[in-house]
Amino acid sequence: MTAIDLNADLGEGFGRWRLTDDEQLLSVVTSANVACGFHAGDPVTMRRVCELAAERGVRIGAQVAYRDLAGFGRRAMDVPPAELAAEVAYQIGALEVFARAAGTRVSYVKPHGALYNRVVHDEEQARAVVDGVLLADTSLPVLGLPGSRLLELAGKAGLPAVTEAFADRAYTDEGTLVPRGQDGAVVTDPDTVVERSVGLARLGVVTSHSGAQIDVRAQSLCLHGDTPGAVELARQVRHKLLESGVRVEAFV
């Protein structure tokens, strides 16, 4: 039977502001990418999400990012490699404290936003992220886009490289994500997102922005928690996957 992990970006509030419905999404997903304070999140939020995830048996991932609270980590930045590596390790370490306090641990690492897209092609920044993960834990899996420099370098460094797909993001013909600034970059129609989820899980294919069918072989499927109706959409996706004979389970 085909199996796939469902992950979502969680803990993306700050102070009094709440962006994601963490509690409800944690009843659907199997892995939680928790913001570590650089693009979103704060200590109280990180602790709360780790406790909720541990209660539900959801795996905790460190969602590391550029230091960009104002831009939600989605602005391009040029960070020296040594600095980026240290900041990646710092974010993982911060989340690990709260994960361990909740009786679990950080199980993987996933870059966020501009950093995620940068390390698809930028070898220097990708290597810095890998170096940061190695500083924190030499066994942590790294979650990223299939064919990215990040996953290539992670594998060479002995870190498990885990491929990821997006049901609610548009793809280019090359298998990369359409930049958020372009029209149609985010897929908002629920029926389309559900259909794409099943296609990605069962067949490893998705229709690109131009209408071409491309191969996207992934072990984990991401659903963004900050889109309108995210919780209900996540429930529909999980239900349809199970109905289609796909097991939904964590990759670690």
Side-chain angles (χ1 to χ4, degrees):
M1 181 183 289
T2 302
I4 199 162
D5 171 65
L6 280 183
N7 77 75
D9 302 341
L10 301 179
E12 291 185 325
F14 187 80
R16 61 178 291 189
W17 307 108
R18 292 287 180 266
L19 183 62
T20 51
D21 190 340
D22 299 325
E23 187 165 4
Q24 293 301 315
L25 282 167
L26 282 167
S27 68
V28 181
V29 300
T30 46
S31 297
N33 318 314
V34 183
C36 299
F38 271 38
H39 76 282
D42 57 42
V44 172
T45 301
M46 292 162 68
R47 181 179 184 182
R48 177 176 55 82
V49 175
C50 284
E51 289 173 347
L52 289 171
E55 288 173 5
R56 291 160 173 75
V58 175
R59 300 297 186 268
I60 294 171
Q63 189 168 41
V64 298
Y66 287 128
R67 190 190 293 268
D68 180 28
L69 274 176
F72 196 59
R74 287 178 175 164
R75 298 186 292 193
M77 302 181 74
D78 290 315
V79 180
E83 184 177 335
L84 180 58
E87 291 189 342
V88 166
Y90 180 94
Q91 292 174 78
I92 297 168
L95 187 64
E96 179 70 7
V97 168
F98 298 118
R100 287 190 178 275
T104 183
R105 57 162 296 182
V106 171
S107 296
Y108 64 96
V109 178
K110 174 185 172 178
H112 165 81
L115 182 58
Y116 187 96
N117 292 317
R118 181 78 171 265
V119 296
V120 171
H121 299 298
D122 190 317
E123 180 166 353
E124 184 179 68
Q125 295 283 279
R127 191 177 301 281
V129 171
V130 170
D131 287 345
V133 176
L134 291 170
L135 275 173
D137 187 330
T138 57
S139 64
L140 278 177
V142 177
L143 186 61
L145 208 66
S148 65
R149 298 297 285 156
L150 174 67
L151 293 192
E152 178 187 348
L153 293 171
K156 288 180 178 178
L159 298 170
V162 183
T163 53
E164 176 183 38
F166 294 82
D168 55 4
R169 287 294 310 278
Y171 279 84
T172 68
D173 290 350
E174 291 71 40
T176 58
L177 301 180
V178 173
R180 280 184 173 269
Q182 294 185 20
D183 290 340
V186 179
V187 182
T188 57
D189 177 65
D191 291 338
T192 302
V193 173
V194 171
E195 181 183 348
R196 284 160 59 94
S197 299
V198 175
L200 284 163
R202 288 187 59 82
L203 305 174
V205 297
V206 68
T207 302
S208 74
H209 198 44
S210 71
Q213 191 174 74
I214 58 173
D215 290 331
V216 181
R217 305 287 174 176
Q219 297 158 265
S220 184
L221 183 65
C222 179
L223 294 170
H224 284 95
D226 60 340
T227 55
V231 174
E232 181 56 32
L233 180 58
R235 287 176 177 148
Q236 289 181 36
V237 167
R238 180 169 182 137
H239 174 76
K240 192 63 176 180
L241 287 170
L242 294 172
E243 188 178 68
S244 302
V246 178
R247 273 198 332 272
V248 177
E249 61 185 25
F251 62 84
V252 288

